[in-house]
Amino acid sequence: MVDLAALCDDLAREHAELDAVVAAVTDAEWDMATPAEGWTIRDQVAHLAFFDEQATLAVRDPDAFKTGLSHAARDVDDFMEGPLRRAREWSPQQVLGWWRTARSEMLDAFATMDASERVPWFGPPMSPASFISARLMETWAHGQDVVDALGIERAPSDRLRHVAHLGVRALPNSFLANGREVPTTPVRVELLGPDSQRWVWNEDATESVTGDAMDFCLVVTQRRHPDDTGLVVSGDVAEEWIALAQAFAGPPGTGRRPGQFARTQ
């Protein structure tokens, strides 16, 4: 049985790691551009705060969340940009305070969930375990945009396994989001995690993606182009998947340009 409390602990640690980074950012740096076109560090934190609030609503009042979802569908751009516009009028301390409050309330809401329920979201409803993991993945991915903007390298943690697992599970959605037929051929994924941990999915599949866990997570969250990683991809389906892989719900992401984060060694 999935340990939701342990998942929440991992999510809280992911929050704390990013908080330590943004809390040290100067007021001027809050408006630095990040690799996500048009988004600053301020925007990244505001985005997390807003969707942590939405996650709390989805858990505590699913009907209200669904009503809001139908309203958002009428003007997706305004729904996405509204929180960013609001945060651009606030001080960095206010934006950081917003995120801290939002994520604390979200974790409190998660503590009330039953592992058997389904939580509505912007894609298909999810199990609590997948839902918590998705918030961790989003925190990690937007945190990557922040550290990339600041020129900081962060050490990989065993929390990457949650991100990688979502990336593997999201293979069908990656194809569907791009208007392509979902393949029936499975893909073996073998990753090297921190401390030489070996993580494997679809052990017996003949097509494969192998390499460093950090590289895989950067690709499936579209924070790196596959060509700028050391991933080894074997098989037609595996190659097609890794070129468009996305661990997140919604329309296709814009990804990163090849060479934008080319390896220096």
Side-chain angles (χ1 to χ4, degrees):
M1 185 174 180
V2 177
D3 188 340
L4 297 185
L7 267 175
C8 286
D9 286 344
D10 280 349
L11 176 54
R13 281 191 283 271
E14 197 64 41
H15 290 154
E17 183 176 290
L18 179 55
D19 192 298
V21 173
V22 295
V25 168
T26 67
D27 285 3
E29 287 173 331
W30 272 80
D31 292 311
M32 285 179 61
T34 69
E37 187 175 354
W39 280 38
T40 64
I41 291 175
R42 177 193 302 270
D43 296 333
Q44 299 283 353
V45 177
H47 176 85
L48 288 173
F50 176 71
F51 280 95
D52 286 348
E53 284 184 341
Q54 290 292 303
T56 301
L57 182 64
V59 172
R60 289 182 170 164
D61 194 341
D63 290 338
F65 174 81
K66 292 173 186 176
T67 298
L69 189 61
S70 63
H71 292 160
R74 298 186 193 120
D75 193 339
V76 175
D77 289 341
D78 184 69
F79 179 76
M80 294 293 290
E81 288 293 324
L84 308 188
R85 288 194 300 267
R86 184 170 69 214
R88 289 165 188 162
E89 297 177 356
W90 292 354
S91 70
Q93 291 71 31
Q94 286 175 301
V95 179
L96 182 55
W98 177 26
W99 179 45
R100 286 171 172 169
T101 298
R103 76 194 200 217
S104 176
E105 292 180 352
M106 177 180 68
L107 287 170
D108 287 345
F110 286 171
T112 69
M113 289 194 295
D114 183 277
S116 64
E117 65 184 294
R118 305 291 290 181
V119 184
W121 198 234
F122 296 93
M126 290 189 284
S127 69
S130 294
F131 196 65
I132 297 168
S133 296
R135 294 314 304 150
L136 190 154
M137 178 271 294
E138 285 281 330
T139 304
W140 183 85
H142 289 284
Q144 187 65 41
D145 290 332
V146 172
V147 298
D148 282 338
L150 295 168
I152 296 172
E153 289 190 14
R154 54 181 176 175
S157 77
D158 58 6
R159 297 187 299 275
L160 287 176
R161 182 162 189 154
H162 302 306
V163 180
H165 183 69
L166 280 179
V168 174
R169 291 285 302 275
L171 182 152
N173 184 66
S174 298
F175 281 85
L176 291 171
N178 285 273
R180 304 189 192 186
E181 185 176 350
V182 177
T184 57
T185 302
V187 176
R188 182 177 186 272
V189 176
E190 180 175 350
L191 305 176
L192 186 65
D195 301 321
S196 299
Q197 299 171 60
R198 178 176 171 269
W199 302 336
V200 181
W201 292 263
N202 303 323
E203 179 85 59
D204 297 328
T206 56
E207 298 202 14
S208 64
V209 176
T210 60
D212 183 78
M214 175 73 91
D215 279 350
F216 181 78
C217 292
L218 287 167
V219 168
V220 298
T221 57
Q222 298 196 354
R223 266 55 188 182
R224 293 291 185 272
H225 191 277
D227 291 351
D228 293 338
T229 72
L231 293 178
V232 177
V233 184
S234 176
D236 292 343
V237 170
E239 288 182 358
E240 185 179 9
W241 169 46
I242 215 66
L244 50 77
Q246 61 180 63
F248 48 88
T254 56
R256 299 289 180 261
R257 302 185 308 274
Q260 186 175 2
F261 293 98
R263 288 173 175 267
T264 56
Q265 57 182 18

